[in-house]
Amino acid sequence: MAAQNHSVVSEFIVLGFSTFPQQLLPAIFLLILLMYLFTLLGNLLIMGTIWSEHSLHTPMYLFLCALSISEILYTFAVIPRMLADLLSTDHSISSMACAGQMFFSFTFGFTHSFLLTVMGYDRYVAICHPLRYSVLMSPRGCACLVAWSWAGGSVIGMTLTLLVFHLTFCGSNVIHHIGCHVLSVLKLACGKETSSVTLGVILVCVTALLGCLCLIILSYTFIVAAILRIPSAEGRHKTFSTCVSHLTVVVVHYGFASIIYLKPKGTHALDIDTLMGTTYTLFTPFLSPIIFSLRNKELKNAIKKSFHGKFCSLSS
């Protein structure tokens, strides 16, 4: 009877940066836009370089190309809407559009984690089983690993989104976040199933992400053990250098994720929550192409070669 006193929610209001001082919004918009464009161009540059350089047609760079695609799609699902809200006074979003944004965020976010796990496995095979690398990481096998990563992200994204939007939303429709973040949306749901769905969503997310992290840690445990058996310091450094960019991205990815999902419970200012949400949504994809471009020697040299070739052709 109490639920009947509330109107069912058909749209949501995303607060985002609306609580920030108005004079700061143009600067925030410009900063986010520049970072988004840099992320987009950086990932496109990586993809174009890998496509054009035959020396980079290896499993590791195939996975990196797939990772760049997932980052482009992930940021496209969230950031354009965030930029539009910064310029508009209407922050409403329909429940269908909110569900779509949540689905794509889940899909590409989990795909990103699965691809990082696959890249860790690739490094493990390359260092610990070099003689069997061409067999274990055949083109067909690599394509299957990428396909399963995308399929796994899509299945989890669809399942969690259907679970969330199967609930009834009544009363307040204000999302205290920069987008349709799952935990912020679940706070607006009402009904007996809400607590069980919230627990299920958290368990699925934590299990999937921690499972990926544990597999990556396991891969690097074997990698470090194999590197320590290399007699020369130069050999150890050369071997480990092939893992640095991937390992750095993993630390950044899970570091920013822990800021969002493992923060202590308690009272937080809305501005602080918004900034913390932006770190994972914006900074992780922003830093990833920088890390791979600067820390991966082969890719960095290929990018320089590509730029040099285009510059010389323009000069001539």
Side-chain angles (χ1 to χ4, degrees):
M1 292 296 292
Q4 295 176 357
N5 295 329
H6 299 279
S7 59
V8 177
V9 172
S10 60
E11 68 175 19
F12 299 97
I13 306 297
V14 181
L15 284 186
F17 293 93
S18 60
T19 58
F20 282 60
Q22 292 297 310
Q23 60 269 25
L24 290 179
L25 296 186
I28 294 173
F29 173 85
L30 183 60
L31 177 62
I32 293 177
L33 177 62
L34 291 175
M35 293 182 70
Y36 175 58
L37 292 176
F38 182 88
T39 302
L40 182 63
L41 293 175
N43 282 300
L44 288 175
L45 176 62
I46 289 174
M47 292 166 57
T49 303
I50 293 173
W51 178 266
S52 60
E53 289 294 326
H54 292 285
S55 61
L56 300 182
H57 291 180
T58 61
M60 180 174 68
Y61 293 104
L62 167 67
F63 300 140
L64 178 55
C65 192
L67 192 73
S68 294
I69 294 173
S70 72
E71 287 188 338
I72 289 174
L73 295 176
Y74 175 78
T75 53
F76 183 75
V78 179
I79 296 179
R81 172 77 198 195
M82 188 193 309
L83 291 170
D85 284 342
L86 278 166
L87 295 178
S88 173
T89 56
D90 180 17
H91 298 155
S92 62
I93 181 172
S94 67
S95 58
M96 186 65 69
C98 189
Q101 187 184 80
M102 186 180 294
F103 165 72
F104 289 119
S105 298
F106 271 136
T107 297
F108 303 131
F110 279 111
T111 299
H112 191 275
S113 296
F114 295 152
L115 287 172
L116 286 176
T117 306
V118 169
M119 292 175 76
Y121 173 71
D122 172 76
R123 292 297 84 208
Y124 159 74
V125 175
I127 294 173
C128 299
H129 303 283
L131 299 180
R132 299 177 60 194
Y133 183 79
S134 59
V135 176
L136 294 175
M137 304 302 292
S138 64
R140 180 184 177 85
C142 293
C144 287
L145 288 173
V146 172
W148 277 111
S149 297
W150 282 95
S154 300
V155 169
I156 294 178
M158 180 62 72
T159 302
L160 294 183
T161 304
L162 289 176
L163 278 175
V164 172
F165 283 88
H166 174 72
L167 298 172
T168 301
F169 297 91
C170 54
S172 175
N173 67 336
V174 179
I175 299 176
H176 295 271
H177 208 269
I178 57 175
C180 291
H181 184 260
V182 60
L183 297 181
S184 300
V185 173
L186 282 170
K187 291 178 181 178
L188 307 179
C190 54
K192 296 180 180 179
E193 298 179 348
T194 302
S195 58
S196 59
V197 169
T198 302
L199 180 61
V201 168
I202 293 173
L203 284 176
V204 170
C205 293
V206 171
T207 301
L209 293 176
L210 287 184
C212 290
L213 180 61
C214 288
L215 289 174
I216 292 172
I217 292 173
L218 183 63
S219 296
Y220 275 99
T221 301
F222 288 112
I223 287 171
V224 170
I227 289 175
L228 292 176
R229 291 196 294 269
I230 298 175
S232 66
E234 182 181 354
R236 289 193 296 268
H237 175 75
K238 184 178 179 180
T239 303
F240 185 72
S241 65
T242 63
C243 307
V244 170
S245 57
H246 172 257
L247 189 58
T248 306
V249 169
V250 168
V251 171
V252 170
H253 176 74
Y254 281 93
F256 281 125
S258 64
I259 293 176
I260 306 301
Y261 296 104
L262 299 181
K263 65 180 181 180
K265 294 182 178 180
T267 303
H268 295 276
L270 181 58
D271 293 355
I272 299 299
D273 286 341
T274 301
L275 290 174
M276 292 175 70
T278 308
T279 57
Y280 183 73
T281 305
L282 189 62
F283 278 92
T284 302
F286 173 76
L287 292 174
S288 184
I290 297 175
I291 294 169
F292 278 114
S293 298
L294 296 180
R295 302 296 298 178
N296 189 299
K297 187 176 180 180
E298 288 183 350
L299 182 61
K300 182 168 65 174
N301 290 336
I303 291 173
K304 288 181 179 179
K305 179 182 176 183
S306 177
F307 268 104
H308 181 71
K310 291 180 180 179
F311 180 77
C312 289
S313 62
L314 288 173
S315 299
S316 60

